[in-house]
Amino acid sequence: MGFIDEIKSRAKQNKKTIVLPESMDRRTFEAAAEVLAEDIANLVIIGTPEEIEKNSEGLDISKAVIVNPATYEKTPEYIDLLVELRKSKGMTKEEATSLLMNEYMFYACVMVKAGDADGVVSGACHSTANTLKPALQIVKTKPGTKIVSAFFLMEVPDCEFGEKGTFVFGDCGLNQNPNPEELAAIAVSSAESFKLLVGKEPKVAMLSHSSKGSAKHADIDKVTEATRIAKETAPQLNLDGELQADAAIVPSVGESKAPGSSVAGSANVLIFPDLDAGNIGYKLVQRLAKAEAYGPMTQGIAKPVNDLSRGCSSKDIVGVIAITAVQAQNN
């Protein structure tokens, strides 16, 4: 059984309710039809009757709950809740009403905040900023969270590295240039996400263009300092750095470049030094190695709100819905 099949099986054991706000995109309905047919999660789709009819033509979404913000019975409650949540920012009832009528992602997040849903999946046709801004304003961060970050769950076919080809890559979707403290927090969160979703011991590599002092540069200093902070913050975590990518995942190279490291050559969680490296890295693996790339998944938000790549397929959306449901089980 592949990784995503195991995730689907776990999602089915304790079904959660996931909101899909992108009713303007056909892929949403293709994914919804598959999720409902496989009984992976309960789904709420937000949209007008016209949007639903046009974009779901020929697909069976009869088991989904369809919510039209203009007529749904709980909309007045959601408007009041949004005003209460944003009153310190001067939110008026008129502004809240307009926002919920026109911005379905805000509506989805208010549903989650109200306890009427367990998670949100969006981003197929919206930017990461448009997906995460409502989540941060309404759902907010988990207590004790130092930084909200994003990761990809990578499933590489016919791969002997990582956890049978399964990796967490972080942060590949949100933080442009994290400082050492932020990078350390991303590493700890990514390890927790790997443990939750894959169920195996995370082995975390702090990536760089240097391995154990083989080069000198301020960018390397950032990674070594982040490694120190992460080890201090989570001493139980199997984490090491700085490591080049080949030293992190290839046993023979790891033994050569970082002898004695418990992570080198066996890493399954790869922490990139900045967003450029992370975004380029995951897309290269996705396209050249034909890997499944699920995400960007978020970590550090009070309830799971997950982003999608705008180049995603309906199959990708199904996978992210299943992962979101499993994250919601943990909450």
Side-chain angles (χ1 to χ4, degrees), residues 112-156:
V112 170
K113 186 68 174 181
D116 293 329
D118 302 300
V120 183
V121 173
S122 184
C125 54
H126 289 91
S127 69
T128 294
N130 286 339
T131 297
L132 294 184
K133 180 181 176 181
L136 295 173
Q137 289 184 354
I138 298 168
V139 183
K140 302 188 183 296
T141 59
K142 287 182 181 178
T145 295
K146 294 182 179 179
I147 185 172
V148 173
S149 57
F151 68 93
F152 276 83
L153 202 299
M154 306 294 296
E155 189 176 15
V156 187

Side-chain angles (χ1 to χ4, degrees), residues 11 23 28 31 39 49 71 97 134 149 194 200 210 222 260 316:
S23 56
T28 294
D39 205 27
T71 59
T97 301
S149 57
F194 184 90
K200 302 292 184 178
S210 167
K222 180 180 84 167
D316 296 332

Side-chain angles (χ1 to χ4, degrees), residues 27 63-64 102 138 140 174 185 204 213 263 315 331:
R27 291 169 294 176
K63 294 181 181 178
N102 297 292
I138 298 168
K140 302 188 183 296
L174 187 56
V204 185
V263 171
K315 180 182 177 183
N331 280 347

Side-chain angles (χ1 to χ4, degrees), residues 8 30 34 41 80-81 87 99 132 148 152 163-164 175 196 202 204 207 220 245 272 288 290 301 326:
K8 288 179 180 179
E30 292 170 344
E34 184 174 338
D80 290 341
L81 176 57
K87 64 182 180 182
L99 202 55
L132 294 184
V148 173
F152 276 83
E163 182 55 44
K164 298 178 181 178
N175 293 287
L196 168 65
V204 185
L207 297 183
I220 302 168
F272 293 84
L288 299 183
K290 312 298 184 187
I301 297 177
V326 171

Side-chain angles (χ1 to χ4, degrees), residues 4-319:
I4 205 63
D5 293 318
E6 293 179 4
I7 289 291
K8 288 179 180 179
S9 178
R10 289 169 61 187
K12 293 175 185 178
Q13 292 171 15
N14 179 14
K15 284 171 61 180
K16 296 299 180 181
T17 298
I18 308 302
V19 188
L20 306 178
E22 294 183 308
S23 56
M24 66 294 296
D25 195 297
R26 173 74 175 181
R27 291 169 294 176
T28 294
F29 295 95
E30 292 170 344
E34 184 174 338
V35 167
L36 295 169
E38 295 187 35
D39 205 27
I40 295 168
N42 301 315
L43 295 181
V44 174
I45 303 175
I46 302 175
T48 65
E50 294 77 17
E51 289 168 328
I52 303 298
E53 181 179 1
K54 175 184 175 182
N55 294 310
S56 67
E57 184 177 359
L59 298 169
D60 183 5
I61 58 162
S62 57
K63 294 181 181 178
V65 173
I66 306 300
V67 170
N68 179 2
T71 59
Y72 189 56
E73 61 184 12
K74 287 197 172 184
T75 294
E77 295 177 28
Y78 295 159
I79 292 170
D80 290 341
L81 176 57
L82 182 56
V83 170
E84 178 64 25
L85 291 169
R86 303 293 293 166
K87 64 182 180 182
S88 65
K89 301 297 182 181
M91 176 72 72
T92 66
K93 189 167 186 176
E94 291 73 20
E95 290 170 338
T97 301
S98 176
L99 202 55
L100 293 185
M101 291 301 106
N102 297 292
E103 299 289 345
Y104 293 168
M105 186 60 192
F106 276 90
Y107 198 100
C109 288
V110 173
M111 288 192 77
V112 170
K113 186 68 174 181
D116 293 329
D118 302 300
V120 183
V121 173
S122 184
C125 54
H126 289 91
S127 69
T128 294
N130 286 339
T131 297
L132 294 184
K133 180 181 176 181
L136 295 173
Q137 289 184 354
I138 298 168
V139 183
K140 302 188 183 296
T141 59
K142 287 182 181 178
T145 295
K146 294 182 179 179
I147 185 172
V148 173
S149 57
F151 68 93
F152 276 83
L153 202 299
M154 306 294 296
E155 189 176 15
V156 187
D158 304 316
C159 177
E160 71 271 31
F161 304 130
E163 182 55 44
K164 298 178 181 178
T166 300
F167 296 85
V168 159
F169 285 12
D171 180 334
C172 303
L174 187 56
N175 293 287
Q176 183 66 52
N177 189 18
N179 62 36
E181 292 78 12
E182 292 168 338
L183 196 59
I186 290 167
V188 173
S189 293
S190 297
E192 292 172 350
S193 293
F194 184 90
K195 179 68 175 178
L196 168 65
L197 296 173
V198 184
K200 302 292 184 178
E201 179 196 3
K203 297 181 179 180
V204 185
M206 308 294 284
L207 297 183
S208 173
H209 67 273
S210 167
S211 291
K212 296 295 185 178
S214 63
K216 302 294 182 184
H217 192 274
D219 290 346
I220 302 168
D221 294 341
K222 180 180 84 167
V223 177
T224 57
E225 176 64 5
T227 301
R228 183 193 68 77
I229 294 169
K231 287 182 174 181
E232 187 177 273
T233 303
Q236 78 287 352
L237 192 58
N238 195 1
L239 175 148
D240 202 6
E242 86 281 10
L243 294 170
Q244 292 164 292
D246 57 351
I249 65 173
V250 181
S252 60
V253 180
E255 178 60 30
S256 172
K257 292 186 175 182
S261 171
S262 61
V263 171
S266 62
N268 49 32
V269 178
L270 305 183
I271 305 302
F272 293 84
D274 57 41
L275 189 57
D276 284 340
N279 188 271
I280 292 166
Y282 102 77
K283 287 185 175 177
L284 282 173
V285 174
Q286 180 186 32
R287 300 301 179 180
L288 299 183
K290 312 298 184 187
E292 296 291 345
Y294 300 103
M297 318 293 294
T298 59
Q299 47 196 10
I301 297 177
K303 291 187 178 181
V305 178
N306 286 318
D307 194 11
L308 296 161
S309 168
R310 278 173 282 179
C312 69
S313 65
S314 60
K315 180 182 177 183
D316 296 332
I317 300 174
V318 171

